[in-house]
Amino acid sequence: MTTAAPTFTPRRTGEIRAVSLDVDDTLVDYSSSSRAALAAMVGNADNWSLWQRITDEHCARLLSGELEYESMRNIRTRAFFAALGEEIDLAEATRRELYRQGVLASGWRLFPDVVPCLEWLRATGLPLAAVSNASGRHQRVKIAALGLAQYFDTVLIAGEVGAAKPDRVIFDTACADLGVPLHDTVHIGDRLHADAIGARDAGMKGVWLNRQGPREGALPTGIASISSLSELPELLVCELSAASA
C-alpha cells in the first residue's frame, strides 16, 4: 500500500526542491547479484575484492576515453583471470563474460524498501534524478527491466556523462536537467565518499544510505545517515527541511 504523501511544498532558497538517488546498492541489490554472477563464472566469489578493484580500474579507463564501452567488460574479465594466474585470449574472456552477464541479469532485484519510497517521492511532486556510476548502456536496460524508469525525470550514467561521482560534474548535470539548484537538492546513496560527501562538496545535501546499520564515530560534517529508504520521508520532511529553514 502506498503511503500518503504529506503536504510538502518547499518555497525558500535552501529548501528541498528535488531528490537524486544512486542506483546500484541503493535501489538495486547489485552486490548480491554480482557476487552470484562472479561465483557462477569462476566457481566461487572468494576474489570479490579483486574483481571490484579491476572493475574500478577499467571503468576509470572507460571514462577517460582509453577504452570503448563495447570492449571494456571483456578486457576487464581477461585482466581479472590474468591476475588469478590464468592467461586466456579475448575470445574466451568474451565467452565467459557473456555467461556472467546472463547470470547477473537474472539476479537483479530491488530492495524491499525501494518502491514504497519512490511512490512516496513521486506523490510529493518533487522531481527525481537517478545518478549512477555505471559504465554504459546496460544500466538503462537494468533500470527499465526493474520498472524504475517510470519514477525518474532524468537518469545520469557516468559512462554517458563522462564523469563519475564524486566529480561534481555529474551532480551539476543532474540538477541542470531537473531545473533545480544544487543547494535545493538532496542526494542519497550507499557510498559515503562518492555519494554523500561528493554531493555535499558539490553543494547539495548529502545522505548516506548505510544498510549495514550505524557505524562507530561521528558522521562527516553536513552528512545525514539512514539505514533504510523507509526512513527517508521523515528525514526529508522533518530534519532536512527544518535545517533549511
Side-chain angles (χ1 to χ4, degrees):
M1 183 175 68
T2 302
T3 303
T7 301
F8 189 42
T9 312
R11 293 186 178 86
R12 296 188 298 274
T13 298
E15 290 193 72
I16 298 164
R17 297 171 52 202
V19 173
S20 167
L21 293 125
D22 171 54
V23 177
D24 288 334
D25 290 323
T26 295
L27 306 178
V28 181
D29 186 2
Y30 179 77
S31 288
S32 294
S33 59
S34 189
R35 282 177 182 270
L38 180 64
M41 181 175 69
V42 182
N44 60 72
D46 295 345
N47 292 289
W48 173 248
S49 296
L50 175 65
W51 175 261
Q52 286 186 304
R53 177 176 63 78
I54 291 177
T55 295
D56 288 344
E57 291 171 356
H58 283 71
C59 285
R61 293 174 65 190
L62 174 69
L63 289 173
S64 71
E66 182 183 347
L67 293 176
E68 296 292 333
Y69 169 73
E70 288 74 14
S71 58
M72 184 276 291
R73 290 187 289 181
N74 303 330
I75 294 171
R76 179 268 317 273
T77 296
R78 187 183 186 191
F80 171 73
F81 280 101
L84 294 178
E86 183 183 0
E87 296 293 338
I88 59 176
D89 61 23
L90 191 56
E92 176 61 16
T94 301
R95 186 191 69 78
R96 295 184 188 187
E97 173 60 21
L98 287 172
Y99 173 71
R100 188 196 68 85
Q101 289 176 33
V103 176
L104 177 66
S106 68
W108 288 335
R109 299 289 185 275
L110 298 178
F111 288 106
D113 54 9
V114 170
V115 171
C117 179
L118 291 177
E119 292 283 358
W120 183 87
L121 286 169
R122 291 310 300 179
T124 67
L126 294 171
L128 302 181
V131 180
S132 171
N133 270 9
S135 57
R137 292 184 297 274
H138 70 282
Q139 190 71 332
R140 291 193 181 274
V141 173
K142 182 197 304 176
I143 288 169
L146 292 173
L148 291 173
Q150 63 181 313
Y151 295 104
F152 292 101
D153 300 287
T154 187
V155 175
L156 282 296
I157 295 173
E160 299 173 351
V161 176
K165 299 171 292 182
D167 191 324
R168 68 168 295 148
V169 168
I170 197 166
F171 294 118
D172 282 333
T173 305
C175 289
D177 283 358
L178 295 177
V180 177
L182 285 158
H183 54 257
D184 290 347
T185 306
V186 59
H187 176 77
I188 304 99
D190 71 293
R191 295 192 175 187
L192 177 59
H193 292 281
D195 287 302
I197 294 176
R200 179 204 65 186
D201 291 350
M204 304 167 81
K205 298 171 178 66
V207 177
W208 180 31
L209 174 61
N210 178 15
R211 292 189 179 276
Q212 306 307 311
R215 70 167 193 167
E216 293 183 3
L219 285 169
T221 302
I223 301 298
S225 178
I226 55 177
S227 59
S228 168
L229 288 176
S230 63
E231 300 169 23
L232 185 61
E234 182 178 1
L235 180 72
L236 293 181
V237 173
C238 300
E239 296 184 33
L240 293 181
S241 292
S244 301

